[in-house]
Amino acid sequence: MRTPLLAGNWKMYKTTGEARELVEGLLHGLGDVSDRKVLVCPPFTALHTVRDLVQGTPIALGAQDVYIEPQGAFTGAISPVMLRDLGCTYVIVGHSERRAIFGEGDDLIGKKVRAALTHDLMPILCVGETKPQRDAGEAETIVVAQVRAALAGMTPDQIARIVIAYEPVWAIGTGDTATPVDAQAMHATIRQTLGELAGTDVAAAINILYGGSVKPDNIDDLMAQPDIDGSLVGGASLKADSFLRIVHFLPTRG
Ligand code: PEP
């Protein structure tokens, strides 16, 4: 009942020319993807270029962050209205790099989720524990708290319009992926939490992505897990051949 979503987070990579080259490569090898959703999230500066290339194709466009106001004196910020204007339908919110490097906390992240929903952008809410937190046996507590904090006070209808990305911080950009079994366990916990917040029917329909050193050689095993509904991919989304192999994961689910 959930359509898998394969999303590329390009982070602060790709000039407009490089973005064009990557998207042309993706479109060249994409083929039939009618049973899955494909998304690219370029840096703000390449959104316009990528929008023109993906219009009318199966590739959707997303941004990597958004501010909470529609417009105003917020130097350097980008609003949800501007993202819609550029053709974005998704936005990543609360990525661990935003949390750790830019000091974003649960309160701001919750406001960003709401701002995205208000303007018809589907937020991809990122959650995940650090290595010390996992080693201390606190991973589930931390992740559940992040989900609850970001979604506090939301209606089931609102929660139904978000995507969650479980991204253990220690796995991002390190080559150290969570095992499929560990990732599945956390995804099941997140789905249970969503059920408590919005009801089991809503929870059963929400896409929960795994992110953290997903590569062509581990995507199939991850996607075989019943609660892993896709992936948010960083490094391996920067080259057409590796992202295409991830997009074309083998559907081994029963
Ligand atoms: C990410 O940026 O969300 C990510 C998961 O990065 P990587 O795939 O490089 O670990």
Side-chain angles (χ1 to χ4, degrees):
M1 88 194 269
R2 297 183 295 269
T3 304
L5 170 62
L6 293 310
N9 171 17
W10 295 3
K11 311 197 189 198
M12 200 174 72
Y13 293 100
K14 306 292 179 190
T15 60
T16 53
E18 292 164 346
R20 171 179 296 281
E21 198 179 322
L22 174 52
V23 174
E24 285 172 351
L26 292 176
L27 289 171
H28 182 70
L30 199 58
D32 178 14
V33 285
S34 50
D35 61 347
R36 55 202 72 193
K37 293 184 273 192
V38 183
L39 168 68
V40 293
C41 301
F44 293 127
T45 47
L47 284 173
H48 193 279
T49 300
V50 174
R51 189 266 308 265
D52 289 349
L53 292 168
V54 301
Q55 239 168 13
T57 79
I59 300 182
L61 185 65
Q64 299 173 21
D65 186 32
V66 66
Y67 192 56
I68 59 177
E69 298 291 346
Q71 61 178 19
F74 304 102
T75 301
I78 303 288
S79 90
V81 175
M82 294 166 177
L83 296 182
R84 286 292 312 182
D85 183 48
L86 279 171
C88 291
T89 49
Y90 289 84
V91 63
I92 298 169
V93 172
H95 191 280
S96 68
E97 287 152 13
R98 299 293 320 171
R99 292 179 192 255
I101 301 169
F102 299 98
E104 293 191 11
D106 285 329
D107 185 48
L108 177 61
I109 290 165
K111 287 180 181 155
K112 289 186 173 192
V113 170
R114 277 159 205 276
L117 289 175
T118 301
H119 295 280
D120 253 348
L121 288 162
M122 193 163 235
I124 300 177
L125 169 66
C126 299
V127 295
E129 82 285 356
T130 63
K131 186 84 172 90
Q133 289 165 337
R134 175 154 284 263
D135 290 345
E138 294 167 355
E140 293 205 349
T141 311
I142 295 289
V143 168
V144 167
Q146 289 172 340
V147 171
R148 285 189 171 278
L151 305 186
M154 285 197 189
T155 65
D157 279 356
Q158 288 174 311
I159 293 175
R161 292 189 287 129
I162 68 164
V163 173
I164 305 267
Y166 168 56
E167 300 208 302
V169 178
W170 48 269
I172 297 180
T174 60
D176 199 7
T177 322
T179 65
V181 170
D182 285 349
Q184 164 58 28
M186 188 63 86
H187 282 228
T189 300
I190 293 170
R191 201 175 304 284
Q192 186 187 326
T193 306
L194 293 171
E196 288 158 13
L197 293 170
T200 49
D201 286 355
V202 168
I206 292 178
N207 275 102
I208 305 177
L209 315 182
Y210 171 78
S213 297
V214 169
K215 306 281 180 223
D217 63 3
N218 57 28
I219 185 67
D220 296 342
D221 288 344
L222 288 160
M223 289 304 296
Q225 301 298 316
D227 285 292
I228 298 183
D229 309 314
S231 183
L232 182 55
V233 185
S237 73
L238 296 174
K239 289 200 168 139
D241 57 351
S242 56
F243 190 54
L244 283 170
R245 174 61 187 84
I246 289 168
V247 165
H248 296 146
F249 74 90
L250 302 173
T252 48
R253 255 194 237 188

